[in-house]
Amino acid sequence: EVQLVQSGAEVKKAGESLEISCKGSGFTFTRNWIGWVRQMPGKGLELMGVIYPGDSETRYSPSFQGQVTISADKSTNTAYLQWNSLKASDTAMYYCAIVQPAGGWFDPWGQGTQVTVSS
Amino acid sequence: QSVLTQPPSVSGTPGQRVTVSCSGSRSNIETNTVNWYQQHPGRAPKLLVFRNNERSSGVPDRFSASKSGTSASLAISGLQSDDEAHYFCSTWDDTLIAWVFGGGTNLTVL
């Protein structure tokens, strides 16, 4: 079964650093793009960026360039989303998902990681 | 402000047919395929339709989608209480060089 399992909920303070993870199984991790999607409370979906673990090519959506770092570890089939200095506005649910190459749809999705940042 | 425009909410009674619209532009919907996602409260989004009108595995044929010009739509017939969820459209934008999502539509089954 193709599956993405994300790390657990995080509660942090503004200014702290954070890395959340997304572990893939049931598919060839290095041959699929993995995307990270933000959903702020009560809001819609925003693609933050994507990574191709095979060669670590990473593309960021303009709004998120310089705000986060996306990386992947081929040896553990895990993608990461990292912040160096969190802001209260980073409070959101974060999802990872496989980007299907044939047409760019996202499937399947991880279960989500809630990040709460207090000021 | 989302690149793709969806109505914030739609509603219907059990058994009815409802449609969710998704309006875009030449740089996104008109030139690329559209995908639809369903998100129940507190759950991760789930792929519903890909490549404009192909249902994902396990999605009942009560769900159908189409695209014309710069707009797309999702239709749900034989409305059921479990259809109550948020629905998002998504596609690639050639100008932004990124995948974009609509703001989402909250479907209420009365």
Side-chain angles (χ1 to χ4, degrees):
Chain A
E1 179 195 4
V2 176
Q3 202 172 9
L4 295 172
V5 178
Q6 299 185 227
S7 50
E10 301 276 359
V11 178
K12 303 292 258 185
K13 293 185 176 157
E16 292 185 331
S17 62
L18 173 65
E19 183 177 77
I20 62 175
S21 66
C22 167
K23 184 173 175 62
S25 61
F27 65 101
T28 306
F29 188 73
T30 53
R31 294 186 183 177
N32 286 268
W33 287 87
I34 304 292
W36 283 98
V37 176
R38 182 176 78 175
Q39 187 169 37
M40 299 178 77
K43 300 298 183 183
L45 306 171
E46 301 171 273
L47 178 69
M48 303 174 74
V50 295
I51 187 166
Y52 189 75
D55 60 8
S56 291
E57 180 181 349
T58 308
R59 302 174 187 175
Y60 295 92
S61 295
S63 302
F64 295 94
Q65 181 79 49
Q67 306 304 307
V68 295
T69 301
I70 295 172
S71 62
D73 183 342
K74 289 189 290 191
S75 68
T76 59
N77 286 357
T78 304
Y80 298 93
L81 179 63
Q82 179 190 33
W83 293 262
N84 286 334
S85 181
L86 286 161
K87 308 189 247 321
S89 57
D90 292 318
T91 294
M93 181 70 83
Y94 294 88
Y95 296 100
C96 62
I98 297 174
V99 186
Q100 296 296 333
W105 57 89
F106 295 82
D107 182 55
W109 295 61
Q111 84 277 19
T113 296
Q114 175 67 46
V115 173
T116 303
V117 184
S118 61
S119 53
Chain B
Q1 194 79 357
S2 302
V3 173
L4 305 179
T5 302
Q6 297 182 236
S9 63
V10 296
S11 63
T13 56
Q16 255 190 338
R17 181 180 186 270
V18 297
T19 60
V20 178
S21 61
C22 176
S23 177
S25 66
R26 174 179 268 183
S27 67
N28 43 64
I29 290 181
E30 186 167 74
T31 50
N32 297 287
T33 57
V34 177
N35 311 302
W36 290 89
Y37 302 88
Q38 178 191 57
Q39 185 180 33
H40 285 106
R43 304 294 298 274
K46 171 190 146 184
L47 178 68
L48 209 58
V49 170
F50 62 98
R51 278 200 291 236
N52 298 329
N53 55 19
E54 298 186 50
R55 282 184 298 276
S56 183
S57 175
V59 174
D61 58 9
R62 300 186 298 105
F63 293 85
S64 62
S66 62
K67 186 186 93 164
S68 178
T70 60
S71 294
S73 65
L74 173 72
I76 309 169
S77 60
L79 208 55
Q80 298 179 2
S81 58
D82 189 53
D83 298 333
E84 193 160 281
H86 276 86
Y87 294 85
F88 296 91
C89 57
S90 177
T91 186
W92 176 262
D93 190 288
D94 296 331
T95 299
L96 296 174
I97 314 180
W99 283 281
V100 292
F101 290 91
T105 298
N106 184 28
L107 169 61
T108 301
V109 181
L110 302 169

